């Protein structure tokens, strides 16, 4: 847009307010790669994510749910392909679904009490929100459908007919209720600061 | 311990507040003007209004010795108000910025002040005798975003700045002719203007809301939007710091903090109350709130719980059809976000009283 010389219908309107003046400033954040402000994060490939998944499953089979949870929260996939991130989300949700409701709070308190525990719960919160985003996106039919189905790894009758809207709702509904109850417990232990950190953090899962 | 002194000035957010050296005058940034309140007995009464800005005043600071007031505003200007027998005389300062000015503080020497801005620069302003004019020099590199707060080192040369690019930085703001050459410190030895002496960010890299040097100047603390405070201990110039300690809390983010001696930091923000942190180079932890520590220390709120009698309860049920008490008040003294904390009274290197102001239009003077 050129410099406005005289009052016209266009200049009297407030359309000029929508001009992105940052784009016109040479060294503004728009014309600058803000990711260079942060230290680079280690790249995790899909194969690595699958390897973690394998180890975590082994821990789960061995009955060490807490170790499995800590294990997958200590290795979040911050930098990596969509597939790697998706795989890790499934790993985390698998662990969450395998833990009984009565065990949640004591387990979270134990993790929070250990060094680096606060960081772990922040990561857990990130995956809870990501999981919720994935389930809601699939239930309204606009997003990819894979995450919702993967939330119920146990082969139920429904997962085969998940094209039916009823069934899809039911599976996402159960996944959502698991995530919501975890969300409540995490906030109890790590406080509202935990939600704030998820929103501010530049490291996205 | 004595109860805090609460001054509810008006129902409007307070962007910043500053007391004069004798603590008799209180300057409040309210909307597009600065209001001066004078102490009358136990209260503060409006006595003067400084009108000169035409947009929101974002920050105000009174120089303790000269009595000059500096203000800055979203209208991109800073004004220095010189006290005179007929009132305060404003002088415009050329900041040369094209975005809002966000934060202003006098250096301890009072010969210059720093203005943070949304233009990714900090203007260091000083008085040029030959031109009879306040001029500014820009600290530019490597700031990538809006400056939210600045804090001076006791030597009046080093300046810490917090930014929305998630970094807290330490710069040299050395002005030839105005400043004495500073003593070498862990931050640096030779300090020409715009030397970057340190650049810090914490793990999750939230916006930095507040920065502060410790009384000795040998440590830096900053509060970020990830509900954390981070303390940095530098080791030597050009070396990585001795220790960077980050404390993530369960609370909402802190907007302002200050040091009480070398081993205590007091911070307040979106939780509407002040919290105490204690520690040192080995580690820091949250030591608790400053409000619960005092029995009955919440004027007009703390006693209500006890006075809730059975008679009252049935009266409420009869009148309103419910048992619940009036729950429209927060249990804290401040009823909204605390945006600024400042030391009020010091003795023997410790802050004995401090003042806070917030979005609720209150200024509160606390005992530490």
């Amino acid at each position: 847009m050129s410099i406005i010389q005289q009052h016209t219908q266009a200049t009297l309107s407030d359309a000029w307010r929508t001009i992105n003046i940052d784009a016109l400033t040479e060294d503004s954040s728009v014309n600058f790669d803000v990711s260079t402000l942060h230290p680079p994060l280690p790249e995790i490939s899909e194969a690595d994510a699958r390897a973690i998944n394998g180890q975590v499953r082994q821990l789960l089979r061995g009955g060490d749910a807490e170790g499995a949870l800590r294990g997958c929260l200590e290795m979040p996939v911050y930098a990596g392909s969509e597939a790697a991130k998706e795989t890790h989300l499934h790993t985390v949700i698998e662990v969450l679904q395998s833990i009984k409701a009565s065990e949640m709070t004591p387990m979270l308190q134990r993790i929070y009490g250990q060094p680096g525990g606060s960081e772990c719960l922040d990561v857990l919160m990130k995956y809870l929100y990501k999981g919720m985003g994935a389930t809601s996106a699939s239930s309204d039919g606009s997003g990819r459908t894979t995450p919702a189905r993967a939330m119920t790894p146990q082969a139920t009758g429904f997962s085969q007919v998940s094209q039916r809207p009823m069934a899809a709702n039911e599976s996402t509904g159960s996944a959502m209720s698991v995530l919501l109850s975890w969300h409540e417990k995490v906030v109890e232990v790590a406080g509202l600061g935990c939600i704030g950190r998820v929103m501010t953090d530049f490291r996205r899962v | 311990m004595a109860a805090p002194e609460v001054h509810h000035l008006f129902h409007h957010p307070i962007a910043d507040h500053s007391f004069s050296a004798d603590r008799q005058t209180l300057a409040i940034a309210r909307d597009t003007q600065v209001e001066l309140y004078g102490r009358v007995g136990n209260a503060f009464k409006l006595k003067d209004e400084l009108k000169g800005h035409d947009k929101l005043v974002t920050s105000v600071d009174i120089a303790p010795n000269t009595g000059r007031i500096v203000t800055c505003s979203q209208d991109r200007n800073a004004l220095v108000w010189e006290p005179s027998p007929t009132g305060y005389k404003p002088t415009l300062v050329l900041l040369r910025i094209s975005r809002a000015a966000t934060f202003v503080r006098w250096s301890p020497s009072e010969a210059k002040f720093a203005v943070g801005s949304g233009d990714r620069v900090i203007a260091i302003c000083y008085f040029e005798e030959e031109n009879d004019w306040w001029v500014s020099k820009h600290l530019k590199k490597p700031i990538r975003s809006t400056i939210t707060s600045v804090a001076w080192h006791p030597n009046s040369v080093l300046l810490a700045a917090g930014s929305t690019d998630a970094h807290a930085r330490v710069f040299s703001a050395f002005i030839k002719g105005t400043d004495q050459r500073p003593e070498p410190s862990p931050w640096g030895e030779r300090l020409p203007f715009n030397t970057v002496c340190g650049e810090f960010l914490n793990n999750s890299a939230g916006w930095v809301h507040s920065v502060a040097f410790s009384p000795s100047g040998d440590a830096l603390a900053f509060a970020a939007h990830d509900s954390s405070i981070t303390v940095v201990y530098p080791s030597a110039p050009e070396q990585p710091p001795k220790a960077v300690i980050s404390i993530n809390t369960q609370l909402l983010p802190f907007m302002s903090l200050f040091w009480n001696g070398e081993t205590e930091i007091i911070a307040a923000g979106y939780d509407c109350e002040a919290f105490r942190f204690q520690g040192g180079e080995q580690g820091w932890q949250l030591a608790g709130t400053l409000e619960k520590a005092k029995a009955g220390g919440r004027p007009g709120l703390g006693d209500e719980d006890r006075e809730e009698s059975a008679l009252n309860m049935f009266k409420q049920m009869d009148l309103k059809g419910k048992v619940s008490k009036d729950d429209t008040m927060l249990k804290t003294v401040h009823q909204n976000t605390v945006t600024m904390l400042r030391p009020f009274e010091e003795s023997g290197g410790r802050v004995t009283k401090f003042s806070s102001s917030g979005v609720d239009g209150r200024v509160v003077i606390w005992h530490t």
Side-chain angles (χ1 to χ4, degrees):
Chain A
M1 187 159 292
S2 66
I3 295 165
I4 293 157
Q5 305 240 308
Q6 52 192 215
H7 284 290
T8 63
Q9 202 58 39
T11 60
L12 285 172
S13 79
D14 55 5
W16 55 275
R17 283 182 170 274
T18 61
I19 300 169
N20 183 4
I21 53 168
D22 277 333
L24 305 172
T25 320
E26 198 184 324
D27 52 354
S28 75
S29 55
V30 178
N31 298 320
F32 174 79
D33 183 10
V34 280
S35 67
T36 57
L37 286 171
H38 311 299
L41 295 160
E43 187 100 10
I44 294 177
S45 71
E46 200 186 339
D48 293 336
R50 283 191 196 289
I52 298 167
N53 181 286
Q55 287 165 9
V56 166
R57 277 195 179 163
Q58 209 160 7
L59 284 170
L60 270 184
R61 271 198 298 274
D64 184 7
E66 188 177 335
L69 185 58
R70 255 204 98 105
C72 57
L73 296 182
E74 275 168 359
M75 300 286 274
V77 182
Y78 286 138
S81 63
E82 266 318 299
K85 290 187 167 193
E86 214 59 71
T87 310
H88 202 72
L89 172 67
H90 296 166
T91 312
V92 174
I93 286 173
E94 220 177 298
V95 175
L96 294 182
Q97 283 177 326
S98 69
I99 296 170
K100 281 203 236 52
S102 58
E103 287 171 11
M104 289 177 183
T105 309
M107 190 179 289
L108 289 173
Q109 275 163 347
R110 279 198 299 277
I111 292 179
Y112 190 73
Q114 290 159 8
S118 158
E119 181 86 29
C120 268
L121 294 198
D122 293 348
V123 174
L124 176 55
M125 197 53 124
K126 287 177 197 170
Y127 278 107
L128 291 180
Y129 280 122
K130 190 181 167 81
M132 288 181 201
T135 49
S136 59
S138 61
S139 63
D140 65 18
S142 58
R144 292 149 303 182
T145 47
T146 38
R149 241 181 289 149
M151 301 246 163
T152 49
Q154 299 89 353
T156 61
F158 289 121
S159 61
Q160 272 116 40
V161 284
S162 63
Q163 285 84 0
R164 264 172 47 201
M166 256 300 283
N169 282 345
E170 224 156 294
S171 72
T172 57
S174 76
M176 188 62 99
S177 76
V178 170
L179 295 177
L180 278 172
S181 57
W182 273 99
H183 183 272
E184 185 191 344
K185 301 287 192 306
V186 175
V187 172
E188 268 170 31
V189 174
L192 292 175
C194 175
I195 299 178
R197 277 191 286 280
V198 171
M199 292 194 286
T200 29
D201 207 327
F202 74 100
R203 297 166 298 177
R204 309 271 159 179
V205 293
Chain B
M1 252 206 248
E5 200 182 300
V6 185
H7 302 283
H8 194 179
L9 301 173
F10 40 72
H11 292 277
H12 201 279
I14 297 174
D16 196 0
H17 76 280
S18 181
F19 281 95
S20 62
D22 60 4
R23 305 296 183 231
Q24 297 300 307
T25 305
L26 166 64
I28 296 283
R30 177 190 188 178
D31 244 342
T32 60
Q33 62 194 35
V34 169
E35 296 185 342
L36 294 181
Y37 289 80
R39 190 183 265 281
V40 182
N42 283 331
F44 279 97
K45 290 267 181 298
L46 185 64
K47 62 169 196 190
D48 201 358
E49 286 172 330
L50 307 182
K51 290 180 181 165
H53 290 292
D54 62 4
K55 292 239 164 30
L56 190 82
V57 177
T58 48
S59 191
V60 57
D61 199 27
I62 303 181
N65 297 321
T66 59
R68 285 179 184 142
I69 302 175
V70 62
T71 60
C72 73
S73 155
Q74 291 180 353
D75 64 11
R76 296 166 294 149
N77 291 320
L79 295 173
V80 175
W81 304 79
E82 195 91 37
S84 76
T86 52
Y88 283 92
K89 293 256 158 35
T91 313
L92 185 72
V93 182
L94 286 181
L95 292 180
R96 298 181 289 121
I97 55 174
S98 58
R99 301 284 171 92
T102 52
F103 204 87
V104 63
R105 284 295 177 264
W106 285 104
S107 71
S109 67
E110 301 182 19
K112 55 184 182 174
F113 57 87
V115 184
S117 79
D119 205 18
R120 298 179 304 277
V121 298
I122 304 167
I124 306 295
C125 308
Y126 57 101
F127 197 74
E128 225 173 52
E129 294 291 347
E130 52 263 43
N131 297 326
D132 192 22
W133 192 258
W134 287 90
V135 292
S136 64
K137 266 180 108 169
H138 284 175
L139 287 174
K140 229 178 155 88
K141 280 200 167 117
I143 302 165
R144 297 309 322 184
S145 191
T146 302
I147 297 295
T148 52
S149 68
V150 295
W152 287 96
H153 188 278
N155 69 8
S156 289
V157 169
L158 293 170
L159 181 79
S163 163
T164 54
D165 62 14
H167 286 73
R169 298 186 178 89
V170 176
F171 295 100
S172 163
F174 183 79
I175 304 284
K176 231 196 218 152
T178 305
D179 289 317
Q180 303 286 320
R181 190 173 293 279
E183 297 280 311
S185 75
W187 298 106
E189 278 152 16
R190 288 197 63 250
L191 297 166
F193 189 78
N194 209 355
T195 309
V196 181
C197 305
E199 233 188 325
F200 312 101
L201 84 170
N202 61 9
N203 279 338
S204 45
W207 287 19
V208 176
H209 286 304
S210 185
V211 286
F213 278 109
S214 73
S216 67
D218 290 344
L220 176 78
F222 62 92
H225 199 70
D226 58 356
S227 303
S228 72
I229 69 163
T230 303
V231 188
V232 180
Y233 291 93
S235 56
E238 314 281 321
Q239 296 292 313
K242 266 191 286 190
V244 180
I245 300 150
S246 225
I247 313 113
N248 286 343
T249 68
Q250 299 165 315
L251 307 162
L252 294 176
F254 303 106
M255 290 295 283
S256 186
L257 58 78
F258 69 93
W259 289 74
N260 178 17
E262 296 287 329
T263 56
E264 191 168 292
I265 292 170
I266 290 172
Y270 290 100
D271 269 313
C272 315
E273 57 182 319
F275 292 89
R276 198 192 297 276
F277 291 86
Q278 282 167 336
E281 251 178 82
Q282 278 69 46
W284 280 81
Q285 60 269 333
L286 182 65
T289 160
L290 272 92
E291 297 208 7
K292 279 176 194 143
K294 304 175 197 77
R298 289 176 181 174
L301 285 165
D303 298 342
E304 271 168 34
D305 293 344
R306 267 168 274 150
E307 282 170 21
E308 184 68 23
S309 63
L311 175 71
N312 234 330
M313 192 181 86
F314 286 114
K315 215 171 175 177
Q316 289 285 316
M317 280 172 78
D318 188 37
L319 284 170
K320 296 180 185 165
K322 59 175 184 179
V323 199
S324 68
K325 286 189 299 174
D326 183 16
D327 55 357
T328 54
M329 293 281 277
L330 293 179
K331 287 202 165 66
T332 51
V333 172
H334 275 288
Q335 293 296 302
N336 208 328
T337 304
V338 178
T339 50
M340 188 56 63
L341 298 181
R342 282 173 179 266
F344 182 79
E345 198 177 278
E346 287 169 68
S347 74
R350 303 287 288 187
V351 178
T352 50
K353 284 184 184 177
F354 68 93
S355 59
S356 63
S357 66
V359 181
D360 58 352
R362 284 177 176 81
V363 171
V364 182
I365 300 164
W366 304 84
H367 295 261
T368 58

